[in-house]
Amino acid sequence: MSVLDTASDKPGWSFDTLAVRAGQERSQFGEHSEALYLTSSFVFQNAAQAAARFSGEEPGNVYARFTNPTVTAMQERLAALEGAEGCVATATGMAAILSTVMALMSSGEHIVASRSIFGATQQLFGTILPRFGVDTSFVDNNSVDAFRAAVRPNTKLVFIETPSNPLTEVFDIAALVEVAHAAGALLVVDNCFCTPALQRPLQMGADLVIHSATKYLDGQGRVLGGAVCGTKVLTDEVFKFLRTAGPTLSPFNAWVILKGLETLSVRMTAQSANALELARWLEGQPQVARVHYPGLASHPQHALAMRQQASGGAIVSFEVKGGREAAWRVVDNCRLLSITANLGDTKTTITHPASTTHGRIAAEARAASGIAEGLLRIAVGLESVADLQADLARGLG
Ligand SMILES: *Cc1c(COP(=O)(O)O)cnc(C)c1O
């Protein structure tokens, strides 16, 4: 039985039901589709109510930097899907990561992060946070022992992304929970690639889940957004930072993401199935040296991936023979696949990491981390796999 079959904070409602129904609250008009409350502030019946709302004595909306009903609905739906007590929506995925650090850490504390995290997260941890007295040790591989060796007495967060980008390395969430907790730290998982449709880190003991809702939660490349999910105690701290500092999600974006969540499960299932089919086909191409996809038996952590994920996900990377020149030929022959570094869309995208997302890393360091010149990353969408194969075959041939 998959790890996904039991997650729900509403016993009786399955994931698919929660995805369409959780968080919905109808106004007096009885709208069937969720309403978009495009308002920055809220009115009070009298001075006493204003005072009670401001003091927190009476629950309710005050100002949309703090709460807005559309944003609340999206938070509740995502919390239900992650099996989380609390969720705080943020303006972007990076705002979710920054808010987590600002809410939970102080100067003098330390982060252990995998090296293979999102580029902007690496920049934030490696170059911005040190100015505020927060240092990060980056772990170069996915070995649990390497994480254990990197924690210090002042480590507050252990931060991972699994599967990683672009090589789809898989990290053992349950084992890293133990490492983090033994050190008195929290395990934070950026669950952007799998989404709760395929992987629920909180069920495996993780303390917080981070999302770039910009990717699969919206799912159609329309808006930016982010979220932090976890226990109420932790997300309340994140909320206190957010309502004061202001990296709040706009109600419009929350509404788009709320509707995106309704199709999350069907999209992730279909896109993962397409990815597996494409990965198998790529493995059979003579011009392809290697395919990185957790759903393939050839993946070094295939067994672990199948234990903690419902499927391999929708990201496939592969190395073509002939280095950068051969890789660029594949990209330049694409008429269907979109040449963009974005991912999480229903439209399939292709990127050459060594010259785009990882282009600023020194060539030796890039090679050492496995990002070869011939590597291409595909974020598989909903098109027919036959059409995707034909598009790639032109450049491979
Ligand atoms: C895109 C992305 C982010 C950052 O999200 P934004 O919404 O662009 O700020 C963080 N983590 C991962 C894994 C991502 O892919």
Side-chain angles (χ1 to χ4, degrees):
M1 182 174 271
S2 128
V3 288
L4 303 181
D5 289 333
T6 54
S8 161
D9 64 350
K10 290 196 171 72
W13 275 10
S14 71
F15 186 92
D16 290 342
T17 306
L18 291 167
V20 229
R21 297 282 183 174
Q24 183 167 24
E25 208 174 292
R26 295 199 174 101
S27 78
Q28 56 173 313
F29 300 110
E31 67 279 357
H32 191 211
S33 179
E34 291 77 356
L36 166 55
Y37 292 94
L38 212 46
T39 181
S40 56
S41 59
F42 300 84
V43 294
F44 313 109
Q45 270 153 18
N46 49 48
Q49 190 185 41
R53 288 272 180 91
F54 267 86
S55 72
E57 228 167 86
E58 179 186 308
N61 298 293
V62 172
Y63 183 53
R65 169 150 42 78
F66 316 159
T67 59
N68 171 290
T70 311
V71 176
T72 304
M74 186 234 121
Q75 291 174 162
E76 285 180 5
R77 188 165 291 176
L78 182 57
L81 298 183
E82 284 288 2
E85 279 174 17
C87 171
V88 180
T90 55
T92 62
M94 289 317 300
I97 297 170
L98 178 65
S99 300
T100 301
V101 169
M102 295 301 278
L104 302 176
M105 295 189 73
S106 298
S107 169
E109 292 180 330
H110 174 247
I111 301 173
V112 172
S114 60
R115 173 75 65 191
S116 55
I117 50 176
F118 187 64
T121 314
Q122 266 190 51
Q123 288 287 112
L124 174 69
F125 289 179
T127 68
I128 298 177
L129 295 183
R131 290 201 275 122
F132 302 92
V134 171
D135 287 318
T136 298
S137 300
F138 290 101
V139 176
D140 285 321
N141 58 60
N142 61 354
S143 117
V144 174
D145 288 337
F147 278 84
R148 197 177 286 116
V151 293
R152 299 178 191 164
N154 60 341
T155 301
K156 193 69 197 279
L157 304 181
V158 175
F159 190 103
I160 59 166
E161 249 174 69
T162 181
S164 73
N165 178 25
L167 293 172
T168 72
E169 260 182 301
V170 178
F171 292 73
D172 189 331
I173 296 173
L176 291 172
V177 165
E178 278 182 31
V179 169
H181 289 181
L186 303 171
L187 184 76
V188 184
V189 180
D190 183 330
N191 200 25
C192 177
F193 273 31
C194 273
T195 83
L198 304 184
Q199 171 172 277
R200 310 241 183 90
L202 299 176
Q203 280 194 319
M204 293 174 240
D207 300 285
L208 288 169
V209 160
I210 300 281
H211 275 290
S212 168
T214 313
K215 313 292 167 49
Y216 292 105
L217 302 190
D218 166 19
Q220 291 167 69
R222 299 166 293 192
V223 298
L224 293 165
V228 184
C229 302
T231 59
K232 197 87 176 55
V233 172
L234 292 175
T235 55
D236 278 353
E237 290 303 311
V238 176
F239 176 67
K240 277 188 225 160
F241 170 77
L242 174 118
R243 60 172 280 158
T244 303
T248 310
L249 183 65
S250 92
F252 179 80
N253 289 9
W255 181 81
V256 171
I257 295 161
L258 180 66
K259 301 308 283 179
L261 288 175
E262 294 185 4
T263 55
L264 179 66
S265 184
V266 283
R267 281 187 283 107
M268 291 311 290
T269 304
Q271 290 178 226
S272 292
N274 282 356
L276 178 61
E277 197 180 334
L278 194 69
R280 285 190 177 135
W281 176 81
L282 284 165
E283 257 191 337
Q285 301 308 300
Q287 307 89 334
V288 173
R290 191 170 167 197
V291 181
H292 304 267
Y293 183 66
L296 290 176
S298 60
H299 188 283
Q301 297 105 35
H302 176 65
L304 171 62
M306 292 303 99
R307 231 175 19 248
Q308 62 185 29
Q309 304 175 200
S311 69
I315 307 288
V316 180
S317 290
F318 63 103
E319 217 178 291
V320 294
K321 294 173 186 164
R324 179 176 295 216
E325 200 185 319
W328 278 25
R329 190 161 56 240
V330 173
V331 173
D332 289 342
N333 274 286
C334 286
R335 292 177 205 155
L336 170 61
L337 277 74
S338 311
I339 306 169
T340 169
N342 197 27
L343 61 98
D345 203 307
T346 52
K347 296 179 171 69
T348 300
T349 66
I350 187 166
T351 191
H352 177 246
S355 58
T356 60
T357 51
H358 295 69
R360 290 196 199 169
I361 303 168
E364 305 87 68
R366 197 165 56 225
S369 66
I371 318 261
E373 288 293 322
L375 188 76
L376 292 168
R377 188 201 71 195
I378 296 183
V380 183
L382 286 177
E383 302 94 335
S384 114
V385 178
D387 290 340
L388 297 174
Q389 287 168 358
D391 214 41
L392 291 167
R394 199 178 308 113
L396 281 173

